Amino acid sequence: KDKRYNMETLVPAAEMASLAEANEVIKLEKLLKSDDPAIRYWAATGFFQLAKKNKISNMPDLVRQRLNNATENDDVRLMCAGALLYSNKPGNALDIAFQMFKAKKPWAYALFQNIGDKAKPLMPEILKIYNQGVKNFEVRSALINGGAIPYQQLFSRKKNSGN
């Protein structure tokens, strides 16, 4: 409500992207070209869903362009990173997502909670962040889903413990 989203265009875009199939890549690309960052977010989410379900492996160039555009909305960039991580050419997607993780962007935390093994190369770095005192639920969840700490630590209430 506060952002005055155009629900007449946003809801159909979100629905289409959430249910997209591989034969709808052209439709998703069109949405990813929208002037509205909320529409672009849903398009990127559609690409992420398709890639994670192994329904597409070759991402359109536009997905990489959105990821690498520093002026693009962070949430759009992160969903593009997620889509690329599940593609056959992830490129710099993990690096860019991790930069946002270190900058404490909320959607970066969410992405790392959802990419599991794709984040394994960064688990030592995320573990350092954790051991330096950033022990919030999101960081613990990313570490658990990446296999770096046991599930029992997800709801840990201990402060400043090394584990």
Side-chain angles (χ1 to χ4, degrees), residues 7-20:
M7 299 307 281
E8 289 179 19
T9 57
L10 185 59
V11 170
E15 184 177 79
M16 183 268 167
S18 297
L19 303 171

Side-chain angles (χ1 to χ4, degrees), residues 36-150:
D36 185 341
I39 301 284
R40 293 193 309 272
Y41 167 81
W42 280 106
T45 300
F47 282 115
F48 176 73
Q49 301 267 356
L50 288 174
K52 191 169 183 181
K53 293 175 184 174
N54 293 315
K55 292 186 176 183
I56 62 170
S57 59
N58 292 318
M59 283 295 137
D61 289 338
L62 184 57
V63 175
R64 192 172 312 283
Q65 290 168 10
R66 290 290 184 197
L67 169 69
N68 289 309
N69 180 350
T71 63
E72 175 60 88
N73 175 281
D74 287 341
D75 301 340
V76 173
R77 291 181 78 202
L78 285 160
M79 291 312 296
C80 286
L84 288 162
L85 287 170
Y86 284 94
S87 75
N88 59 3
K89 294 183 182 174
N92 62 343
L94 191 57
D95 294 333
I96 289 175
F98 189 55
Q99 289 170 14
M100 290 190 216
F101 185 94
K102 291 189 296 188
K104 300 179 181 175
K105 304 281 183 178
W107 279 107
Y109 286 149
L111 179 66
F112 275 81
Q113 287 174 292
N114 285 297
I115 61 173
D117 287 345
K118 300 290 182 185
K120 273 198 185 253
L122 293 175
M123 284 301 116
E125 291 300 314
I126 296 173
L127 202 51
K128 281 183 194 173
I129 292 168
Y130 174 80
N131 286 329
Q132 291 169 351
V134 182
K135 298 179 185 276
N136 60 40
F137 175 87
E138 294 84 0
V139 171
R140 289 192 314 270
S141 179
L143 287 165
I144 289 164
N145 291 337
I149 63 173

